[in-house]
Short mmCIF file of all heavy atoms in Angstrom, two decimals:
data_model
loop_
_atom_site.label_atom_id
_atom_site.label_comp_id
_atom_site.label_asym_id
_atom_site.label_seq_id
_atom_site.Cartn_x
_atom_site.Cartn_y
_atom_site.Cartn_z
N CYS A 9 3.93 18.06 -8.18
CA CYS A 9 4.34 18.91 -9.30
C CYS A 9 3.47 20.18 -9.42
O CYS A 9 2.28 20.10 -9.31
CB CYS A 9 4.25 18.07 -10.59
SG CYS A 9 4.70 18.92 -12.05
N VAL A 10 4.12 21.28 -9.56
CA VAL A 10 3.49 22.53 -9.94
C VAL A 10 4.06 22.94 -11.31
O VAL A 10 5.24 23.14 -11.41
CB VAL A 10 3.68 23.64 -8.89
CG1 VAL A 10 3.11 24.93 -9.36
CG2 VAL A 10 3.10 23.24 -7.52
N TYR A 11 3.15 23.06 -12.29
CA TYR A 11 3.58 23.46 -13.61
C TYR A 11 3.79 24.96 -13.64
O TYR A 11 2.97 25.72 -13.18
CB TYR A 11 2.55 23.11 -14.70
CG TYR A 11 2.47 21.58 -14.86
CD1 TYR A 11 1.29 20.92 -14.52
CD2 TYR A 11 3.47 20.86 -15.41
CE1 TYR A 11 1.15 19.54 -14.68
CE2 TYR A 11 3.38 19.49 -15.57
CZ TYR A 11 2.19 18.84 -15.21
OH TYR A 11 2.09 17.46 -15.36
N VAL A 12 4.99 25.38 -14.14
CA VAL A 12 5.34 26.79 -14.12
C VAL A 12 5.70 27.23 -15.53
O VAL A 12 6.06 26.43 -16.40
CB VAL A 12 6.49 27.10 -13.15
CG1 VAL A 12 6.07 26.78 -11.72
CG2 VAL A 12 7.80 26.45 -13.52
N LEU A 13 5.63 28.56 -15.78
CA LEU A 13 5.93 29.07 -17.11
C LEU A 13 7.38 29.53 -17.20
O LEU A 13 7.89 29.63 -18.32
CB LEU A 13 4.99 30.28 -17.38
CG LEU A 13 3.49 29.94 -17.27
CD1 LEU A 13 2.66 31.19 -17.50
CD2 LEU A 13 3.11 28.84 -18.21
N ASP A 14 8.04 29.80 -16.08
CA ASP A 14 9.41 30.23 -16.10
C ASP A 14 10.09 29.75 -14.83
O ASP A 14 9.64 30.19 -13.75
CB ASP A 14 9.47 31.75 -16.24
CG ASP A 14 10.86 32.41 -16.26
OD1 ASP A 14 11.61 32.17 -15.25
OD2 ASP A 14 11.19 32.96 -17.28
N GLN A 15 11.08 28.93 -14.89
CA GLN A 15 11.67 28.34 -13.66
C GLN A 15 12.43 29.41 -12.89
O GLN A 15 12.48 29.34 -11.65
CB GLN A 15 12.54 27.14 -14.01
CG GLN A 15 11.71 25.90 -14.29
CD GLN A 15 12.56 24.74 -14.58
OE1 GLN A 15 13.49 24.76 -15.39
NE2 GLN A 15 12.22 23.62 -13.96
N ASP A 16 13.08 30.35 -13.52
CA ASP A 16 13.80 31.40 -12.76
C ASP A 16 12.85 32.23 -11.95
O ASP A 16 13.10 32.52 -10.77
CB ASP A 16 14.64 32.29 -13.69
CG ASP A 16 15.77 31.56 -14.35
OD1 ASP A 16 16.32 30.64 -13.70
OD2 ASP A 16 16.16 31.89 -15.46
N ALA A 18 9.81 31.33 -11.00
CA ALA A 18 9.23 30.43 -10.01
C ALA A 18 10.18 30.23 -8.83
O ALA A 18 9.75 30.25 -7.67
CB ALA A 18 8.89 29.07 -10.62
N TYR A 22 8.92 31.13 -5.09
CA TYR A 22 8.77 30.11 -4.05
C TYR A 22 9.87 30.24 -2.96
O TYR A 22 9.60 29.96 -1.78
CB TYR A 22 8.85 28.70 -4.65
CG TYR A 22 7.50 28.39 -5.36
CD1 TYR A 22 7.28 28.78 -6.66
CD2 TYR A 22 6.50 27.72 -4.66
CE1 TYR A 22 6.09 28.51 -7.28
CE2 TYR A 22 5.28 27.45 -5.32
CZ TYR A 22 5.07 27.86 -6.60
OH TYR A 22 3.84 27.61 -7.19
N LEU A 43 14.07 21.14 -10.66
CA LEU A 43 14.05 22.17 -9.57
C LEU A 43 12.94 21.76 -8.60
O LEU A 43 11.78 21.72 -8.94
CB LEU A 43 13.75 23.55 -10.16
CG LEU A 43 13.57 24.70 -9.21
CD1 LEU A 43 14.82 24.94 -8.35
CD2 LEU A 43 13.29 26.00 -10.02
N THR A 56 8.03 19.96 -7.12
CA THR A 56 8.76 20.11 -8.37
C THR A 56 8.18 21.27 -9.15
O THR A 56 7.00 21.29 -9.43
CB THR A 56 8.64 18.81 -9.19
OG1 THR A 56 9.08 17.67 -8.41
CG2 THR A 56 9.52 18.87 -10.48
N LEU A 57 9.05 22.28 -9.44
CA LEU A 57 8.59 23.37 -10.25
C LEU A 57 8.91 23.00 -11.69
O LEU A 57 10.04 23.23 -12.21
CB LEU A 57 9.36 24.67 -9.82
CG LEU A 57 9.14 25.02 -8.30
CD1 LEU A 57 9.98 26.20 -7.89
CD2 LEU A 57 7.67 25.21 -7.99
N PHE A 58 7.93 22.46 -12.31
CA PHE A 58 8.11 21.78 -13.61
C PHE A 58 7.79 22.70 -14.78
O PHE A 58 6.66 23.18 -14.87
CB PHE A 58 7.18 20.57 -13.65
CG PHE A 58 7.50 19.55 -14.76
CD1 PHE A 58 8.35 18.50 -14.48
CD2 PHE A 58 6.94 19.71 -16.00
CE1 PHE A 58 8.65 17.59 -15.52
CE2 PHE A 58 7.29 18.81 -17.02
CZ PHE A 58 8.11 17.74 -16.72
N LEU A 59 8.77 23.00 -15.56
CA LEU A 59 8.63 23.92 -16.71
C LEU A 59 7.72 23.33 -17.78
O LEU A 59 8.00 22.22 -18.21
CB LEU A 59 9.96 24.27 -17.25
CG LEU A 59 9.94 25.25 -18.46
CD1 LEU A 59 9.42 26.60 -18.06
CD2 LEU A 59 11.37 25.34 -19.06
N VAL A 60 6.75 24.03 -18.19
CA VAL A 60 5.88 23.61 -19.29
C VAL A 60 6.60 24.04 -20.60
O VAL A 60 6.69 25.18 -20.92
CB VAL A 60 4.48 24.27 -19.27
CG1 VAL A 60 3.65 23.90 -20.49
CG2 VAL A 60 3.77 23.82 -18.00
N ALA A 61 7.26 23.05 -21.22
CA ALA A 61 8.01 23.29 -22.45
C ALA A 61 8.01 22.10 -23.32
O ALA A 61 7.74 20.98 -22.88
CB ALA A 61 9.52 23.59 -22.11
N ARG A 75 0.01 26.27 -21.11
CA ARG A 75 0.38 27.63 -20.76
C ARG A 75 -0.84 28.53 -20.63
O ARG A 75 -0.95 29.30 -19.73
CB ARG A 75 1.38 28.21 -21.80
CG ARG A 75 2.74 27.55 -21.71
CD ARG A 75 3.72 28.15 -22.73
NE ARG A 75 4.12 29.53 -22.37
CZ ARG A 75 5.07 29.80 -21.48
NH1 ARG A 75 5.71 28.84 -20.90
NH2 ARG A 75 5.34 31.06 -21.21
N ILE A 78 -2.78 27.56 -17.41
CA ILE A 78 -2.02 28.02 -16.23
C ILE A 78 -2.21 29.56 -16.06
O ILE A 78 -2.56 30.05 -14.96
CB ILE A 78 -0.54 27.68 -16.26
CG1 ILE A 78 -0.38 26.13 -16.17
CG2 ILE A 78 0.24 28.36 -15.15
CD1 ILE A 78 1.04 25.66 -16.62
N ASP A 124 0.60 32.13 -7.70
CA ASP A 124 2.04 32.25 -7.92
C ASP A 124 2.29 33.10 -9.15
O ASP A 124 1.36 33.61 -9.77
CB ASP A 124 2.72 30.87 -7.94
CG ASP A 124 2.40 30.06 -9.19
OD1 ASP A 124 1.72 30.57 -10.14
OD2 ASP A 124 2.82 28.91 -9.27
N ASP A 125 3.53 33.22 -9.57
CA ASP A 125 3.88 34.07 -10.67
C ASP A 125 3.46 33.51 -12.02
O ASP A 125 3.43 34.23 -12.99
CB ASP A 125 5.38 34.33 -10.68
CG ASP A 125 6.17 33.06 -10.93
OD1 ASP A 125 5.99 32.10 -10.14
OD2 ASP A 125 6.91 32.97 -11.89
N SER A 126 3.05 32.23 -12.08
CA SER A 126 2.61 31.62 -13.31
C SER A 126 1.07 31.74 -13.46
O SER A 126 0.54 31.74 -14.56
CB SER A 126 3.01 30.15 -13.39
OG SER A 126 4.40 30.01 -13.56
N ASN A 128 -0.96 29.76 -11.06
CA ASN A 128 -1.52 28.71 -10.20
C ASN A 128 -2.02 29.30 -8.92
O ASN A 128 -1.42 30.27 -8.42
CB ASN A 128 -0.38 27.70 -9.85
CG ASN A 128 0.15 26.98 -11.05
OD1 ASN A 128 -0.54 26.28 -11.73
ND2 ASN A 128 1.45 27.21 -11.30
#
Side-chain angles (χ1 to χ4, degrees):
C9 179
V10 174
Y11 293 112
V12 299
L13 304 178
D14 181 298
Q15 284 181 312
D16 290 330
Y22 286 84
L43 176 59
T56 305
L57 302 177
F58 196 92
L59 181 64
V60 175
R75 291 181 69 83
I78 293 166
D124 70 6
D125 65 303
S126 292
N128 298 297

